[in-house]
Amino acid sequence: MTDERLWQRDKAEFSSGLIASGPLSEQFVELTRLLLAASTPAQVLEQIVAAAYRVVPGADLVSVTLRAPDGTFHTPVDTGKVAVELDAVQYRAGTGPCVDAAASGSPGHVSSDDLATEPRWPDFSRAAVRHGFTAILSTVLVPDAEPPRLPGALNIYSRGQDVLGPVARDVALLLATHGSLALAGTTAVSRAELEASHLRKAVESRDVIGQAKGILMHRRGLTADEAFDLLRRTSQDLNVKLAELARTLADRHTELDAP
């Protein structure tokens, strides 16, 4: 079964009640739980796309547009290959609802209820209509982001008429807001983990250098400054990092005592 058919099956089950639907508020509670459990940006985007496909009225195809620091766009998550194709038409043209919603200074959402007569994006509109899509709604993801992070967009395609109205827009904007906050959270977690890792390595390096200094001071009767200077000069002569040299001395100093 193709990925697109799997998405369609899940949506049908959701709508028919085989997957507990419940009030929309309950769906957002569940989504919040899933987003809090997500540890990577990819997991966040997958949850947002899945939620949009299931709960936004009129959503027949969903994708996410992300913008790289070099200004190029790509589609990392989608519910069907057609979304990737239609998004790419916009990327090549440099305009379209996905691109416009992801642009700096975006109004928050960009939409069209009748792509057959839409004059703003002729290349994209023709391609969308050719695939049977008559409407689109794109909402900004990560608004007001600063480099290297840049805004993206949550894109919802529909085959229906007048279905991506105020209700669909409000639900999509809520989803995009949840996604933006969760993405910021995963970035913060990644940064915190990175900083903690760097701090841990710095402490470990300081400790092992202290051990190596102590060994040299004991064996050669050096002062702390003299021992450190010897380690530094040896590190430069051997082209080995100071911490690595110190670790080797600390781990293997007993071998140097062997006759």
Side-chain angles (χ1 to χ4, degrees):
M1 185 177 292
T2 65
D3 289 343
E4 187 170 359
R5 288 185 177 180
L6 286 171
W7 281 103
Q8 292 171 350
R9 185 200 64 187
D10 289 348
K11 184 169 185 173
E13 291 177 348
F14 180 87
S15 300
S16 66
L18 294 177
I19 299 176
S21 55
L24 186 60
S25 60
E26 293 182 10
Q27 300 308 311
F28 274 93
V29 169
E30 175 64 10
L31 175 62
T32 300
R33 184 189 67 78
L34 294 171
L35 290 178
L36 288 174
S39 59
T40 66
Q43 291 175 349
V44 169
L45 294 175
E46 289 169 358
Q47 294 294 348
I48 292 298
V49 165
Y53 186 68
R54 288 172 172 168
V55 304
V56 175
D60 293 313
L61 191 67
V62 181
S63 70
V64 164
T65 291
L66 290 185
R67 186 179 180 187
D70 63 3
T72 58
F73 295 94
H74 64 287
T75 301
V77 184
D78 60 84
T79 62
K81 293 181 179 179
V82 174
V84 178
E85 179 182 336
L86 295 178
D87 289 354
V89 172
Q90 301 175 65
Y91 304 159
R92 289 192 296 268
T95 186
C98 304
V99 173
D100 294 352
S104 298
S106 164
H109 70 278
V110 179
S111 64
S112 176
D113 293 326
D114 188 1
L115 291 173
T117 60
E118 179 57 64
R120 288 175 290 178
W121 321 293
D123 292 344
F124 162 70
S125 296
R126 282 193 296 269
V129 171
R130 188 166 61 248
H131 284 284
F133 295 98
T134 57
I136 186 170
L137 169 64
S138 293
T139 62
V140 66
L141 274 174
V142 198
D144 302 321
E146 297 180 357
R149 296 172 62 220
L150 294 167
L154 174 65
N155 313 307
I156 299 165
Y157 294 85
S158 179
R159 294 187 175 90
Q161 293 286 343
D162 300 322
V163 290
L164 297 180
V167 174
R169 182 193 61 212
D170 290 347
V171 173
L173 286 170
L174 282 171
L175 288 170
T177 300
H178 274 64
S180 298
L181 293 172
L183 286 171
T186 58
T187 302
V189 168
S190 298
R191 186 185 302 114
E193 290 176 346
L194 183 61
E195 291 174 351
S197 176
H198 286 171
L199 178 61
R200 183 170 60 253
K201 289 179 180 178
V203 171
E204 290 173 352
S205 296
R206 184 189 65 189
D207 289 348
V208 76
I209 290 172
Q211 292 176 33
K213 284 170 54 180
I215 292 169
L216 291 175
M217 292 167 64
H218 175 72
R219 289 186 171 187
R220 304 188 60 173
L222 303 175
T223 66
D225 289 342
E226 289 171 340
F228 181 80
D229 188 57
L230 177 58
L231 285 170
R232 180 184 57 79
R233 285 187 282 106
T234 305
S235 169
Q236 292 174 345
D237 292 342
L238 298 177
N239 195 26
V240 176
K241 291 182 178 180
L242 180 60
E244 293 179 4
L245 175 65
R247 185 171 290 106
T248 299
L249 177 59
D251 292 343
R252 305 181 62 179
H253 69 92
T254 55
E255 297 178 17
L256 301 178
D257 295 331

